[in-house]
C-alpha cells in the first residue's frame, strides 16, 4: 500500500493507493518543513495515521520547501510515525513533473499563489529557472496577477466602475489593501485572492489582457529559458487551471504543445507512481 502526499503550507492532500487506484483520501493541515518544527509536523502526521485503516509500506511525500535540510527533517518526522515504511521526500516541483509526465520528458509548470517551472527528463529535474518569490519573480502566479491588477486599479489603467465594483464586492478600501500587503503576513496569498474577482470578469477585455500578459511574462522569463520547444509543456495549480484557455493560447504562440493542465497533481501522482 502506497501513501502519496501533495503538500503546501495551507493543506496537505494524502491518498492511500494500491495498484494505481485510490483506496482512501485524507486532508490534514499543511506541512512545510522550512517554517515548521519537528513537534508540529509529527503531531500532524499522528493525526493522519489515526485516520488510516492500513499502514503504508511506501510513502511518497511531495511538498513545498522539501530540499536540503528541510527534506531531511521531513523524512525524519515521517520515519517517527511510519517506521516500517520506505520513505521518499521530494519537492512539490518534482511531484508536479511526475504527475504531468510520468517517465517522459517535459517542461512542468506550477501556477498557483506562486509559480515555478522545470525541465524534466522523465526521472528528475535537470534544469530549474529560479522563481525568486513574489517580490522578485513568480511571474504568472496569483500573487503577480494581483500586483498588476491592484496597480492598474489605483493608477487609473482600469475604468472607475471596475475599481468601484471590486472594492464594493470585497468590502475594502485603499487603506485596507495597503495594510494587507505591507503590514500583515502572507501578502502573496492576499494578492492571489484578486483572481476570484478577475476570473468572473474575463469578458472585460482589459482584465483578460492582464491575465494574458501575466502568463506571457511567465513563458518569456521562465519556460523559454529552457530552449526546449521539442518537448511538451504541462501545468498544475489553481491559476493554470482557471486560466487554462489563456495558458494554452500563450503556450501555442511561443511554439509549445500543451499536454496536461490540472488543478491538483495528487490524482495523477496516484496513477504515475
Amino acid at each position: 500500500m502506497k501513501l502519496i502526499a501533495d503538500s503546501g503550507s495551507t493543506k496537505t492532500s494524502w491518498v492511500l493507493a494500491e495498484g494505481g487506484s485510490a483506496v482512501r483520501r485524507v486532508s490534514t493541515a499543511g506541512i512545510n518543513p522550512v517554517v515548521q518544527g519537528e513537534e508540529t509536523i509529527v503531531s500532524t502526521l499522528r493525526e493522519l495515521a489515526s485516520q488510516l485503516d492500513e499502514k503504508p509500506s511506501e510513502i511518497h511525500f511531495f511538498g513545498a520547501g522539501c530540499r536540503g535540510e528541510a527534506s531531511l527533517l521531513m523524512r525524519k518526522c515521517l520515519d517517527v510515525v511510519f517506521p516500517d515504511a520506505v520513505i521518499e521526500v521530494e519537492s512539490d516541483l518534482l511531484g508536479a513533473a511526475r504527475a504531468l509526465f510520468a517517465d517522459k520528458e517535459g517542461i512542468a509548470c506550477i501556477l498557483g499563489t506562486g509559480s515555478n517551472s522545470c525541465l524534466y527528463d522523465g526521472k528528475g529535474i535537470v534544469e530549474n529557472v529560479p522563481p525568486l518569490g513574489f517580490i522578485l519573480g513568480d511571474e504568472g502566479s496569483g500573487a503577480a496577477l494581483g500586483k498588476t491588477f491592484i496597480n492598474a486599479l489605483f493608477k487609473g489603467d482600469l475604468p472607475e466602475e471596475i475599481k468601484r465594483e471590486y472594492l464594493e464586492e470585497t468590502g475594502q478600501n485603499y487603506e485596507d489593501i495597503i495594510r494587507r500587503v505591507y503590514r500583515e503576513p502572507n501578502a502573496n496569498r492576499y494578492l492571489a485572492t484578486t483572481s476570484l474577482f478577475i476570473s468572473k470578469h474575463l469578458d472585460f477585455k482589459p482584465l483578460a489582457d492582464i491575465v494574458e500578459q501575466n502568463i506571457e511574462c511567465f513563458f518569456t522569463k521562465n519556460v523559454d529559458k529552457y530552449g526546449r520547444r521539442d518537448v511538451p509543456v504541462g501545468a498544475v495549480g489553481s491559476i493554470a487551471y482557471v486560466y487554462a484557455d489563456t495558458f494554452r493560447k500563450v503556450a501555442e504562440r511561443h511554439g509549445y504543445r500543451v499536454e496536461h493542465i490540472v488543478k491538483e497533481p495528487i490524482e495523477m501522482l496516484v496513477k504515475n507512481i
Side-chain angles (χ1 to χ4, degrees):
M1 195 74 73
K2 298 178 181 179
L3 182 62
I4 302 166
D6 173 39
S7 184
S9 297
T10 304
K11 182 185 80 169
T12 303
S13 297
W14 304 84
V15 174
L16 197 62
E18 189 168 31
S21 298
V23 174
R24 181 168 175 77
R25 294 175 174 83
V26 178
S27 289
T28 66
I31 298 175
N32 187 331
V34 173
V35 297
Q36 294 175 334
E38 181 176 346
E39 184 177 345
T40 300
I41 296 173
V42 168
S43 175
T44 301
L45 294 175
R46 291 195 191 284
E47 175 194 339
L48 164 71
S50 70
Q51 300 181 62
L52 300 178
D53 299 324
E54 297 184 52
K55 292 183 178 180
S57 57
E58 297 178 27
I59 298 175
H60 302 270
F61 185 94
F62 300 95
C66 287
R67 298 175 64 182
E69 291 185 8
S71 179
L72 294 175
L73 172 60
M74 190 66 230
R75 184 183 294 274
K76 178 183 177 183
C77 293
L78 284 165
D79 191 52
V80 168
V81 181
F82 302 100
D84 298 323
V86 176
I87 296 169
E88 175 189 33
V89 176
E90 297 287 355
S91 69
D92 57 346
L93 185 56
L94 182 59
R98 284 195 189 171
L100 292 165
F101 302 113
D103 58 356
K104 296 179 174 61
E105 282 188 297
I107 297 173
C109 307
I110 298 176
L111 289 176
T113 298
S115 70
N116 208 344
S117 67
C118 71
L119 179 61
Y120 175 72
D121 67 357
K123 295 180 180 178
I125 295 170
V126 294
E127 194 173 344
N128 168 230
V129 176
L132 297 178
F134 83 102
I135 293 177
L136 298 175
D138 272 3
E139 301 86 7
S141 69
L145 179 64
K147 283 200 294 183
T148 302
F149 171 69
I150 295 296
N151 182 283
L153 214 60
F154 287 98
K155 296 285 188 178
D157 295 328
L158 289 171
E160 190 65 28
E161 59 264 31
I162 289 290
K163 176 181 175 182
R164 183 171 58 252
E165 185 175 348
Y166 176 74
L167 295 178
E168 288 177 356
E169 186 174 305
T170 59
Q172 300 178 101
N173 57 32
Y174 174 82
E175 288 75 19
D176 294 329
I177 292 170
I178 294 300
R179 184 186 71 253
R180 291 292 301 273
V181 172
Y182 291 103
R183 298 178 187 172
E184 296 185 10
N186 302 316
N188 58 332
R189 292 186 199 170
Y190 166 71
L191 287 166
T193 64
T194 60
S195 178
L196 297 173
F197 177 86
I198 295 168
S199 63
K200 292 189 295 185
H201 296 82
L202 288 179
D203 55 336
F204 182 61
K205 190 175 184 302
L207 290 183
D209 288 345
I210 285 176
V211 171
E212 186 169 334
Q213 289 161 12
N214 191 42
I215 295 175
E216 173 75 29
C217 190
F218 173 75
F219 271 83
T220 301
K221 293 281 190 178
N222 299 275
V223 180
D224 287 349
K225 303 297 185 184
Y226 301 115
R228 291 295 304 274
R229 288 176 173 81
D230 58 309
V231 298
V233 170
V236 305
S238 57
I239 296 297
Y241 185 77
V242 170
Y243 305 110
D245 289 344
T246 305
F247 185 92
R248 291 182 186 279
K249 176 183 175 181
V250 174
E252 289 168 7
R253 187 164 64 224
H254 280 249
Y256 299 98
R257 175 174 61 85
V258 178
E259 190 147 303
H260 299 292
I261 299 176
V262 296
K263 188 174 183 180
E264 296 181 357
I266 190 73
E267 297 303 327
M268 295 179 75
L269 282 170
V270 169
K271 296 177 183 177
N272 292 344
I273 290 179

